[in-house]
Amino acid sequence: MGAPSREEDEAKKMEAGGDTVGQKLDAGALFVLESKGSWLHCGYHLTTSIVAPPLLSLPFAFAALGWSAGMVCLVVGAAVTFYSYNLLSRVLEHHAQQGRRQLRFRDMAADILGPGWARYYIGPIQFMVCFGAVVASTLLAGQSMKAIYLIANPGGTMKLYVFVVIFGVFLVILAQLPSFHSLRHVNLVSLLLCLSYSLCAVAGCVYLGTSDRAPPKDYSIAGDTHTRVYGVFNALAVIATTYGNGIIPEIQATVAAPVTGKMFKGLCLCYAVVVTTFFSVATAGYWAFGNAAQGLLLNNFMVDGKPVIPVWLLLMAELFTLVQLSATATVYLQPTNEVLEGLLSDPKAGQYAARNVVPRLVSRTAAVAFGTTIAAMIPFFGDMNALIGAFGFMPLDFAVPALFYNLTFKPSKKGFVFWLNTAIAVVFSAVAVVASVAAVRQIALDAGTYKLFANV
């Protein structure tokens, strides 16, 4: 047998709580981000974090862009994010081969940009994006539960916040799964669920679009020039949020060493599901409803409180969406869990020692309770989610990977790769700024309709 590789040595050090970025691993990295997974598990995690119910907003984005621009943006989003996520993976693999395996986005930022960037920019933005995704998932789950309730009990009087709280209680239970790796079976089920509700949504669009009750199809872009321009950037923020991930390093951290090539296989699996679901839902939804497509496609299947597609089909779509949202929320809770574990747990004690189990139970319950409270109080979180997409997902998933790659590998300034990466970083940074302004404008326009604990 040959000598062990540097990556294998690194894996042994990690299992012992050893050095990866110049210091002993804290409990967050050691317990939450334990590295035991295969490339298949990586693919499950990636799919759950990317192919989530926000993809049901793609027809709404098309309504602001039209057929041609919508399809171009969808293709560009897929190509750029697949490329960018591979760049991040390459950088992570490079550092692992050098004996400095990085487990978190802020570890990468600290090594490549400096500790200030990690502490005051990358870290806070990632936390905002991920916890925002937890809140958004909780709100969407509450809305799905309420939709199922109203289908089964028309005229029911239960309020939205009640369903949000019910989902929050269930999420508290899922949140106790100790590590990211322990979600692998949950995320396999999640992969099957996203295919299932996408199929139901497409089937509903085809059924309604070819029936006598088909809504009029108007593919013109509504509004004056000013409204259309802001609508375009809002649509870009929606697409960025749909393709967004924000936790590539944490997902790659779950892979057992040696890591080389495993993330690429996982991304190929994930993007096979992305292409299958994103493009079918976007085209079917926009074809069926045109510029009347709502923020969540499933809402188009209810008119005046009554289903316009077979009840069983709508119930299946809502149920599959609801269950997958529990997996999505749990995945995006992992960075919060990792921070809390690092602050409150003792890496020298066992993962299941009472010294660590009690703080884990209390802190994760408190985190979920806080997110659930926000979701119940502010059910107009969709507007704020567009801001999170523009201000968070666009920099983290479109611009930062290209910057990290150029600073790490220093490709020739005369070469194509350097200028491609530079162009991606500059263009998407500019788009992020404008899209953030558009999202803030939309929040200002809708502020008059905001009401705490509203029953929407």
Side-chain angles (χ1 to χ4, degrees):
M1 295 179 63
S5 68
R6 296 186 68 170
E7 287 184 275
E8 290 169 338
D9 287 339
E10 186 69 12
K12 293 177 181 177
K13 290 193 328 185
M14 288 171 61
E15 289 174 0
D19 183 356
T20 58
V21 286
Q23 58 184 0
K24 297 284 286 184
L25 285 179
D26 59 35
L30 196 61
F31 297 154
V32 178
L33 301 179
E34 60 179 355
S35 303
K36 295 182 177 179
S38 67
W39 70 266
L40 266 177
H41 301 149
C42 178
Y44 302 157
H45 300 325
L46 286 165
T47 304
T48 299
S49 61
I50 298 174
V51 191
L55 73 90
L56 298 172
S57 298
L58 288 173
F60 174 74
F62 268 49
L65 297 169
W67 275 117
S68 299
M71 193 58 68
V72 167
C73 289
L74 205 58
V75 171
V76 169
V80 172
T81 52
F82 184 80
Y83 176 71
S84 295
Y85 296 154
N86 271 294
L87 291 185
L88 273 182
S89 179
R90 291 274 310 275
V91 172
L92 289 164
E93 289 176 2
H94 172 77
H95 284 280
Q97 290 164 0
Q98 300 300 312
R100 293 171 62 83
R101 186 173 181 186
Q102 299 157 330
L103 304 179
R104 298 166 282 213
F105 225 133
R106 64 182 184 273
D107 293 343
M108 295 185 74
D111 259 16
I112 298 169
L113 300 177
W117 283 93
R119 186 176 298 113
Y120 300 114
Y121 182 69
I122 298 294
I125 283 185
Q126 187 197 31
F127 186 83
M128 178 189 73
V129 164
C130 292
F131 201 73
V134 173
V135 175
S137 297
T138 304
L139 174 57
L140 286 174
Q143 291 173 339
S144 289
M145 291 178 71
K146 183 183 175 185
I148 294 171
Y149 166 72
L150 291 176
I151 292 170
N153 183 28
T157 58
M158 288 181 67
K159 306 297 185 183
L160 174 62
Y161 64 81
V162 176
F163 297 104
V164 170
V165 170
I166 292 171
F167 179 80
V169 172
F170 176 66
L171 187 58
V172 165
I173 299 171
L174 268 185
Q176 304 309 320
L177 290 172
S179 68
F180 209 148
H181 178 64
S182 64
L183 296 177
R184 60 195 182 281
H185 301 304
V186 172
N187 289 341
L188 170 59
V189 175
S190 170
L191 186 154
L192 299 175
L193 288 169
C194 70
L195 289 170
S196 300
Y197 67 67
S198 297
L199 177 61
C200 290
V202 171
C205 291
V206 173
Y207 172 88
L208 188 59
T210 55
S211 72
D212 295 336
R213 293 182 293 174
K217 298 179 178 66
D218 182 359
Y219 302 115
S220 63
I221 300 175
D224 56 25
T225 303
H226 190 70
T227 303
R228 290 182 183 184
V229 170
Y230 278 107
V232 166
F233 286 103
N234 263 327
L236 294 178
V238 168
I239 292 174
T241 302
T242 306
Y243 278 111
N245 180 282
I247 50 175
I248 291 292
E250 286 78 4
I251 290 176
Q252 187 154 326
T254 67
V255 178
V259 299
T260 304
K262 293 179 180 178
M263 191 68 162
F264 179 76
K265 292 179 181 178
L267 279 167
C268 288
L269 170 62
C270 172
Y271 272 75
V273 181
V274 164
V275 171
T276 302
T277 55
F278 283 27
F279 287 82
S280 61
V281 169
T283 53
Y286 188 52
W287 168 78
F289 300 104
N291 59 19
Q294 297 187 39
L296 194 67
L297 179 59
L298 299 184
N299 293 341
N300 281 101
F301 297 142
M302 295 282 287
V303 176
D304 297 327
K306 296 181 180 179
V308 291
I309 63 172
V311 173
W312 63 267
L313 182 60
L314 182 55
L315 281 172
M316 285 177 61
E318 294 282 7
L319 182 61
F320 292 151
T321 301
L322 169 63
V323 178
Q324 203 224 5
L325 281 164
S326 63
T328 303
T330 309
V331 162
Y332 277 104
L333 196 61
Q334 296 310 302
T336 303
N337 291 346
E338 181 270 317
V339 170
L340 292 172
E341 202 99 346
L343 291 172
L344 302 174
S345 296
D346 181 2
K348 296 179 181 178
Q351 185 175 11
Y352 302 104
R355 163 65 183 82
N356 291 332
V357 169
V358 173
R360 181 183 306 136
L361 176 64
V362 173
S363 62
R364 294 187 183 188
T365 301
V368 172
F370 180 65
T372 301
T373 302
I374 296 174
M377 286 179 62
I378 313 174
F380 300 95
F381 195 77
D383 285 353
M384 297 175 194
N385 208 35
L387 178 61
I388 289 172
F391 187 71
F393 279 125
M394 279 193 180
L396 285 181
D397 294 328
F398 291 81
V400 169
L403 178 64
F404 279 4
Y405 185 90
N406 279 2
L407 290 175
T408 298
F409 291 100
K410 297 179 174 57
S412 170
K413 293 182 180 180
K414 296 180 180 180
F416 175 73
V417 171
F418 175 85
W419 289 108
L420 173 63
N421 292 347
T422 302
I424 289 173
V426 171
V427 169
F428 283 98
S429 294
V431 172
V433 171
V434 180
S436 297
V437 172
V440 170
R441 172 184 176 271
Q442 192 62 45
I443 290 172
L445 290 175
D446 293 343
T449 65
Y450 291 164
K451 182 181 177 183
L452 295 181
F453 298 102
N455 185 39
V456 295

